[in-house]
């Protein structure tokens, strides 16, 4: 994910004297900021979608545990050991 940023930054460092000679610092700063912003946008969407999925899976797990515990408590034929194992 970070390769375009490091690539662009490395190229800017290697050509720093040329960039300064042509007084193009602003152009390269703007270009680096655009690449960084594009990368951060995709990173934010990745983190947000991972959190969305994690929240749903945690809720599903909690519901399954709740149902198993309710069935163990409300059922007369389940022993304490088997209810704890479930």
């Amino acid at each position: 994910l970070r390769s375009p940023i490091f690539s662009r930054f490395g190229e800017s460092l290697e050509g720093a004297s040329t960039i300064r000679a042509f007084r193009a610092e602003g152009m390269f700063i703007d270009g680096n900021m655009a690449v960084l912003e594009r990368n951060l946008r995709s990173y934010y969407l990745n983190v947000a979608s991972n959190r969305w999925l994690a929240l749903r899976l945690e809720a599903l797990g909690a519901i399954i545990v709740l149902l198993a515990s309710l069935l163990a408590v409300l059922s007369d034929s389940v022993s304490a050991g088997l209810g704890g194992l479930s």
Side-chain angles (χ1 to χ4, degrees), residues 20-67:
R20 272 186 260 131
F22 286 102
R23 299 181 188 263
E25 296 96 345
M27 183 181 70
F28 277 87
I29 289 172
D30 293 342
N32 285 335
M33 291 303 287
V35 170
L36 181 65
E37 185 177 334
R38 185 174 52 230
N39 183 43
L40 288 178
R41 245 186 280 144
S42 65
Y43 179 73
Y44 176 75
L45 288 175
N46 186 18
V47 169
S49 63
N50 282 340
R51 186 60 197 143
W52 180 88
L53 180 62
L55 184 67
R56 269 46 178 195
L57 290 176
E58 288 175 15
L60 181 63
I63 290 170
I64 290 172
V65 168
L66 176 69
L67 290 176

Side-chain angles (χ1 to χ4, degrees), residues 64-86:
I64 290 172
V65 168
L66 176 69
L67 290 176
S69 61
L70 284 177
L71 287 174
V73 169
L74 297 177
S75 178
D76 294 332
S77 63
V78 176
S79 66
L82 187 59
L85 186 62
S86 72

